[in-house]
Amino acid sequence: MVWRNYWRIPVPELWVDILEKVKAAGFNTVSFYSHWGYHSARDGHLDFESGSRNFTRLFDICKDIGLYVLFRPGPYVNAEASAGGFPGWLTTGAYGTLRNNDSRYTDAWTPFMSEISKIVADYQITRGGHVILYQIENEFGNQWRNVDLKTPNYPAIAYMELLKSNARANGIDVPLIHNNPNFRTKSWSKDYSNEGGNVDNYALDHYPSCWSCDLSECTGTNGNVPDFTTYDYYSNFQQVAPTQPSFLAEFQGGSYNPWQGPAGGCVNTTGPEWVNVFYRHNVEQKVTSMNVYMLFGGSNWGQIAFPTVGTSYDYSAPITESRTIGEKYHETKLFGQFLRVARDLTKVDRIANNTGLTSTPDIKTTELRNPDTNGAFYVTAHTLSPSRDKTSFKLSISTSAGNLTVPQYASDIVLNGRQSKIIVTDFTIGKQKLIYSTAEVLTVSVQDGVPVVLLWLPAGESGEFFLSGAQAGQVKKSEGASGVKFSPVDGGTVVSYTQLAGSAVIDFEGSKFVLVDRASAYKTWMPSTSNDPFTAENSTVIVQGPYLVRSAAIDGNVLTLTGDWTESIDLDIYAPMSIQKVVFNGKTIRVNRTRYGSLLGRFLSAASTASSIKSQLPPLTKWKVSDGLPERNGNYDDSRWTVANHTKTPNPTPPATYPVLYADEYDFHTGNILWRGRFSNSNATGVFLSVIGGTGSGWSAFLNGAFIGSWLGSTSVTRGEQQLSFANATLNSNTTNVLFIIQDHMGKDQTSGATNPRGIFNATLIGGGTFSSWKVAGKAGGGQNIDPIRGPYNEGGLHAERLGWHLPGFDDSAWENGTPQTSSSNAGVKFYRTVVPLDLPRGVDASLGFVFSSPAGSKVRVQLYVNGYMFAKYIPHIGNQVTFPVFPGILNYHGDNTIGLSVWSQTTAGASVSVDWTVIGAVESSLDVGFDSTYLRPGWSDRSEYY
Ligand code: GAL
């Protein structure tokens, strides 16, 4: 299992790409979070239609390609989303503290949850669809006030009951699940108590290597255990939910990257070896289902993110934000594809878990055995999971051919550092049994009734397998193995060998074995001709060679494949003997039958490379520029702005000064917020400002147009406080003065912090006088959602955003020429625009992005808009992200692209920012990224009412 969030890839045409990659990695189910705020810009308004808000296409694709669905609607989802997915309007405090049975909150979520349940209900397996599970709430492990004493927490129980009955009343009849945040909360399990709120399946979330790329964020929860420590889930499931499937509803697939995290993320802390050991460890723990968070993360585009993270949600996941795949994906695939064919694993007893089965105590083994078939799985790993030792050993196994110590002929089994192996016994393949194999099973694919068994080992290691009822085999292809030896034994033949780079093929009466090394296994694909998520062995073909195989279909003697490739490669295909013709992405591939029974073809066309694509991208040099912050000037006409005059607030954190200057209660929930405070007849010499914007936020202040100071921001401070002098400004002692503040809003906090305000907590004149009035501007139209396609999170209150300068079609002909490299020498905001045409080669999936740089010490806050979508927030003094991927569809690959750049210089040193294209990947592909996506990029229309 795996999951992704459709709202992090707001281009529905690309969903199929991700889902095909999920399927190709061997998964049978995919999980989606919804996002209430994404669908509800204001109370009483729901949108399940505009652009990517119509998510039912996901269900159709899943059904088409054979994936089940776990749907997780919320109402709270967390997910590193602003307010955990709660809409901004919900977070004012007017709906209470949230996530309880307060009727104000209940009335708020009921329409959303009812509607989403009704939509999903039609796609349930009970109605012919693929949705098999429904999760309510998220990491709400609040059933108990005291877990040990089982003291019920009634408001939380009542809330879960409300959510359950709402789902049921609106047609959800698949099992309900809930994901506990850790081992300690023990909530909502029927086996554990009869208290209310229980769901059908208890589940646990776990991030053994920290959910953040900044490992120090996890010391409080993961403790100070050594890196690469595995955990005991088995006891928890036995204690809390012994009769239920052991479900890891979130298991680490990577980590989010906070602002202070390393550029490019932290793929090394959860890299291929981590995948190898930790996923096998979950098998050892008798985990029944495991949902990888994330297999694909996506983008934190717009202002959808909560403050701690930037605009990337790459998550260091197996499928990158740019949709590319590499070693981590392939290692995940080895595991996923094995599980797909390890049919006996679906019902096992945990027989042993100790160091007694191996010839060394440095290796521990867990034996899992299917009571019906006697098929067993011996999960071997270093006794100390962080070990980097290379350890050789023999293993004692119990098989239908007797108790054996293996290997018997080959060199010992090796665990080379951070590695784990699952050694199967009595593994059924057709009419034969693999009595054991010390090499791991990659897959089994049945062709013309004959199982083709792929076994894999790191090159240089020795393997041994015992095939029941078999005579000596014939080595049909010898390049990939040395020392192949057939030893006749009672009941069959034992084959021992040393794996070399590449593959070797051995034919037996009734089966074919393909022995591959890890690198070849990474390039091996098992597409299915059926759309059954269980993917029967007789519905697959094996294709070795390309970057990706997405699909396979057989029609008569033609095998049609789709996929991606990056270079001239051989295709080695195991398919039925009747196949005479192979078509890959519409092109006929000349194939010959090999002596070892496969079809071998050669791609002759070399693909476009990243550098050839780069050379086709127009330079980003011709910019137009305009002042992006006229609001700072004393005479700016703010007559259309919202008067901020509340004298009391529902917010649980009341401000220090009044009126209330919390943006959410004036219907502004995202991005930059602009404030104008007036005062007159004052001898004030300065102002004390305390502004809440979340961690990493910043603000700048101006008096009558003159810059007086900034809070630059810090990744640990949510409220920036400064006392600023008016010495460098001109105070009008008789007429009105205007204090102008632009604040950056980084999103709203998660969990109980969702109601933390964004705005001015304290504005106090120093030296006399008080503010007579305040006005506020934010996103054009506030909750009116004037751009429903891009939606409520795309814009904030910047001048350029309010007037739509970021949108395609705005007329900038009257603007001056300029470049962001030689930008302002003042504090303030400049907005740049350029329009660049693209015409990229058809048939190439190019992943593009933008890369930023600025001189050391720059104090700038930069936002990038691509055809109106905010796709980058570059703040070099706060965060380390410099590369920002942008999806095709947001970019128009065959037409004009409007690029906007807002450069806010926070100091008088001014700003100089360089921005350029980067090509993150380019593969020849069946995926058409040149699709018509005009509907996703609505153009400018007059917005002067939001001036
Ligand atoms: C979990 C949560 C997810 C996500 C994850 C960290 O606790 O359920 O929504 O926030 O942590 O990436």
Side-chain angles (χ1 to χ4, degrees):
M1 277 203 183
V2 53
W3 72 56
R4 50 174 295 268
N5 307 324
Y6 57 90
W7 36 275
R8 284 222 167 87
I9 181 164
V11 184
E13 289 77 3
L14 294 180
W15 295 346
V16 68
D17 176 40
I18 305 300
L19 292 168
E20 283 177 347
K21 285 169 180 161
V22 169
K23 173 80 180 179
F27 289 81
N28 58 13
T29 305
V30 60
S31 159
F32 305 110
Y33 267 142
S34 187
H35 185 300
W36 181 4
Y38 195 60
H39 293 282
S40 180
R42 61 178 189 273
D43 195 1
H45 181 266
L46 290 170
D47 181 356
F48 293 104
E49 292 299 324
S50 311
S52 54
R53 277 158 205 82
N54 185 350
F55 60 87
T56 58
R57 182 170 181 161
L58 292 167
F59 301 139
D60 295 334
I61 301 169
C62 287
K63 192 163 175 189
D64 246 32
I65 68 178
L67 288 167
Y68 288 127
V69 176
L70 157 60
F71 201 76
R72 313 201 300 162
Y76 180 83
V77 296
N78 210 63
E80 287 69 76
S82 181
F86 278 155
W89 54 261
L90 186 80
T91 66
T92 56
Y95 300 84
T97 53
L98 311 176
R99 304 181 79 188
N100 53 26
N101 62 338
D102 183 323
S103 61
R104 294 170 296 174
Y105 172 61
T106 311
D107 292 347
W109 63 251
T110 300
F112 168 70
M113 290 296 280
S114 305
E115 194 54 32
I116 208 157
S117 292
K118 281 184 201 149
I119 292 171
V120 177
D122 280 341
Y123 294 89
Q124 294 175 106
I125 193 155
T126 49
R127 300 191 192 173
H130 271 204
V131 177
I132 56 167
L133 293 168
Y134 205 68
Q135 176 186 306
I136 48 175
E137 249 288 348
N138 187 78
E139 293 197 336
F140 188 68
N142 294 17
Q143 192 172 23
W144 314 112
R145 284 198 290 126
N146 181 315
V147 179
D148 297 331
L149 303 176
K150 291 194 186 175
T151 319
N153 178 1
Y154 288 117
I157 290 171
Y159 174 38
M160 284 295 277
E161 284 295 329
L162 286 168
L163 288 169
K164 278 167 58 180
S165 51
N166 177 274
R168 294 301 187 212
N170 289 291
I172 298 298
D173 52 15
V174 295
L176 299 177
I177 69 147
H178 185 79
N179 56 336
N180 278 258
N182 54 52
F183 310 125
R184 300 178 301 278
T185 52
K186 300 179 186 169
S187 289
W188 320 120
S189 170
K190 294 179 190 174
D191 297 347
Y192 198 61
S193 86
N194 293 322
E195 277 301 341
N198 291 338
V199 291
D200 297 303
N201 208 129
Y202 166 88
L204 264 183
D205 290 356
H206 204 238
Y207 293 81
S209 176
C210 191
W211 52 85
S212 163
C213 286
D214 176 0
L215 301 184
S216 70
E217 288 189 29
C218 298
T219 45
T221 44
N222 287 21
N224 288 321
V225 297
D227 171 36
F228 228 80
T229 297
T230 52
Y231 288 76
D232 171 17
Y233 311 114
Y234 181 74
S235 313
N236 184 271
F237 285 121
Q238 289 305 304
Q239 184 202 7
V240 185
T243 73
Q244 302 165 36
S246 301
F247 189 4
L248 282 175
E250 287 179 27
F251 189 76
Q252 184 146 32
S255 305
Y256 67 72
N257 201 7
W259 284 103
Q260 70 275 15
C266 57
V267 76
N268 291 339
T269 59
T270 56
E273 58 182 21
W274 193 93
V275 166
N276 181 294
V277 171
F278 279 77
Y279 292 0
R280 282 165 183 71
H281 174 74
N282 292 341
V283 171
E284 184 259 271
Q285 293 287 306
K286 206 165 102 64
V287 167
T288 319
S289 34
M290 153 180 145
N291 195 356
V292 177
Y293 192 102
M294 310 284 294
L295 198 72
F296 169 72
S299 171
N300 261 337
W301 65 284
Q303 347 236 317
I304 216 156
F306 92 120
T308 308
V309 294
T311 26
S312 172
Y313 205 66
D314 176 82
Y315 216 86
S316 299
I319 305 171
T320 69
E321 180 175 355
S322 309
R323 303 175 294 106
T324 58
I325 53 175
E327 290 201 340
K328 181 167 174 179
Y329 173 90
H330 294 304
E331 193 64 36
T332 306
K333 178 181 71 178
L334 302 192
F335 178 75
Q337 291 295 354
F338 164 65
L339 284 200
R340 184 189 261 179
V341 297
R343 307 287 176 189
D344 281 351
L345 197 54
T346 53
K347 182 181 177 187
V348 284
D349 298 320
R350 201 172 189 240
I351 306 284
N353 172 34
N354 57 52
T355 58
L357 295 179
T358 48
S359 50
T360 163
D362 294 341
I363 301 292
K364 73 171 172 31
T365 307
T366 302
E367 178 184 343
L368 301 158
R369 187 169 291 277
N370 185 309
D372 304 333
T373 66
N374 206 34
F377 302 84
Y378 292 79
V379 187
T380 61
H382 274 111
T383 305
L384 296 173
S385 59
S387 169
R388 292 185 189 276
D389 294 346
K390 182 172 183 178
T391 309
S392 306
F393 61 95
K394 287 198 196 304
L395 175 71
S396 303
I397 54 175
S398 161
T399 75
S400 58
N403 294 338
L404 301 168
T405 298
V406 298
Q408 308 182 69
Y409 305 94
S411 306
D412 283 357
I413 306 168
V414 170
L415 289 185
N416 190 359
R418 293 176 163 181
Q419 195 189 355
S420 166
K421 283 182 182 168
I422 299 180
I423 287 149
V424 299
T425 62
D426 284 290
F427 192 93
T428 304
I429 43 165
K431 295 197 180 70
Q432 293 169 310
K433 274 196 183 223
L434 199 49
I435 302 292
Y436 66 85
S437 169
T438 66
E440 289 193 287
V441 173
L442 172 57
T443 192
V444 178
S445 176
V446 176
Q447 306 302 336
D448 303 311
V450 177
V452 181
V453 182
L454 274 81
L455 302 178
W456 79 273
L457 275 174
E461 292 186 14
S462 295
E464 179 174 295
F465 61 92
F466 179 167
L467 188 60
S468 71
Q471 310 285 318
Q474 290 180 16
V475 179
K476 294 283 188 171
K477 181 182 183 220
S478 58
E479 291 93 302
S482 66
V484 179
K485 189 174 143 207
F486 301 96
S487 307
V489 291
D490 264 5
T493 293
V494 173
V495 184
S496 48
Y497 62 100
T498 297
Q499 182 69 50
L500 304 178
S503 60
V505 180
I506 306 174
D507 276 359
F508 296 90
E509 176 97 34
S511 57
K512 178 189 284 295
F513 278 69
V514 183
L515 312 175
V516 297
D517 71 329
R518 179 184 243 128
S520 308
Y522 279 5
K523 289 194 165 173
T524 300
W525 303 95
M526 313 75 175
S528 173
T529 53
S530 123
N531 61 2
D532 179 348
F534 285 109
T535 317
E537 285 80 340
N538 63 5
S539 77
T540 57
V541 295
I542 306 287
V543 183
Q544 296 189 288
Y547 175 85
L548 171 68
V549 177
R550 297 169 183 270
S551 74
I554 292 178
D555 187 10
N557 60 7
V558 182
L559 170 66
T560 304
L561 302 169
T562 63
D564 302 6
W565 77 96
T566 53
E567 60 203 339
S568 302
I569 34 125
D570 289 339
L571 281 188
D572 210 359
I573 300 168
Y574 296 87
M577 290 305 280
S578 55
I579 300 297
Q580 284 167 6
K581 187 173 163 190
V582 175
V583 177
F584 195 108
N585 292 357
K587 279 188 212 148
T588 301
I589 307 292
R590 268 228 325 272
V591 285
N592 295 315
R593 183 69 61 187
T594 62
R595 66 188 188 285
Y596 50 92
S598 67
L599 289 165
L600 190 66
R602 188 159 173 76
F603 271 126
L604 290 177
S605 67
S608 291
T609 60
S611 60
S612 76
I613 297 289
K614 179 83 203 287
S615 68
Q616 297 173 50
L617 300 173
L620 299 174
T621 44
K622 288 190 186 148
W623 298 88
K624 295 283 200 148
V625 62
S626 177
D627 180 2
L629 204 62
E631 297 88 345
R632 70 186 182 284
N633 295 318
N635 60 359
Y636 180 83
D637 173 12
D638 63 13
S639 57
R640 296 176 194 79
W641 286 28
T642 303
V643 177
N645 59 0
H646 296 181
T647 53
K648 54 183 201 298
T649 179
N651 199 281
T653 311
T657 55
Y658 286 80
V660 180
L661 302 176
Y662 290 167
D664 288 296
E665 54 187 84
Y666 298 105
D667 210 15
F668 299 123
H669 312 294
T670 49
N672 296 160
I673 310 286
L674 312 187
W675 302 95
R676 285 167 59 89
R678 288 186 163 76
F679 62 97
S680 45
N681 302 323
S682 162
N683 295 321
T685 56
V687 65
F688 173 78
L689 290 172
S690 172
V691 182
I692 311 174
T695 53
S697 63
W699 50 265
S700 295
F702 297 78
L703 181 69
N704 300 325
F707 175 65
I708 57 169
S710 288
W711 166 258
L712 297 174
S714 147
T715 52
S716 58
V717 177
T718 60
R719 188 165 90 191
E721 299 194 337
Q722 297 267 82
Q723 182 159 320
L724 303 175
S725 161
F726 290 163
N728 291 331
T730 310
L731 188 75
N732 306 318
S733 44
N734 300 322
T735 56
T736 304
N737 296 288
V738 180
L739 179 75
F740 169 75
I741 297 147
I742 172 174
Q743 74 163 110
D744 202 0
H745 167 341
M746 313 297 279
K748 301 212 72 180
D749 301 325
Q750 294 187 132
T751 61
S752 56
T755 54
N756 291 344
R758 297 291 178 253
I760 300 177
F761 178 72
N762 187 335
T764 304
L765 292 168
I766 310 292
T770 52
F771 291 97
S772 53
S773 68
W774 281 91
K775 286 199 156 185
V776 58
K779 179 182 177 302
Q784 277 177 56
N785 201 21
I786 61 172
D787 182 354
I789 293 282
R790 297 183 184 85
Y793 290 92
N794 188 53
E795 298 168 21
L798 273 178
H799 193 74
E801 293 170 316
R802 298 205 319 284
L803 294 190
W805 294 354
H806 60 301
L807 297 170
F810 171 76
D811 180 5
D812 60 16
S813 56
W815 290 15
E816 290 171 11
N817 295 328
T819 92
Q821 285 97 314
T822 52
S823 181
S824 69
S825 53
N826 273 318
V829 179
K830 297 266 186 204
F831 196 82
Y832 297 84
R833 294 181 98 250
T834 187
V835 178
V836 283
L838 290 179
D839 194 13
L840 298 182
R842 296 273 174 184
V844 176
D845 181 3
S847 300
L848 304 186
F850 292 83
V851 59
F852 286 82
S853 63
S854 56
S858 295
K859 304 290 190 267
V860 285
R861 289 174 180 265
V862 178
Q863 296 189 164
L864 171 82
Y865 303 81
V866 180
N867 292 318
Y869 286 81
M870 204 272 259
F871 252 86
K873 193 158 174 137
Y874 167 67
I875 317 179
H877 61 286
I878 296 292
N880 296 317
Q881 191 184 356
V882 293
T883 300
F884 298 84
V886 178
F887 301 117
I890 300 301
L891 277 165
N892 179 4
Y893 280 14
H894 301 283
D896 280 346
N897 291 276
T898 302
I899 315 293
L901 202 63
S902 158
V903 179
W904 166 6
S905 167
Q906 285 204 272
T907 68
T908 51
S912 163
V913 175
S914 300
V915 56
D916 198 5
W917 298 100
T918 171
V919 181
I920 298 157
V923 291
E924 302 279 333
S925 180
S926 59
L927 181 78
D928 173 20
V929 289
F931 52 86
D932 181 6
S933 49
T934 318
Y935 79 104
L936 291 175
R937 299 186 302 267
W940 181 84
S941 57
D942 180 55
R943 288 186 171 200
S944 43
E945 65 185 289
Y946 305 112
Y947 189 80

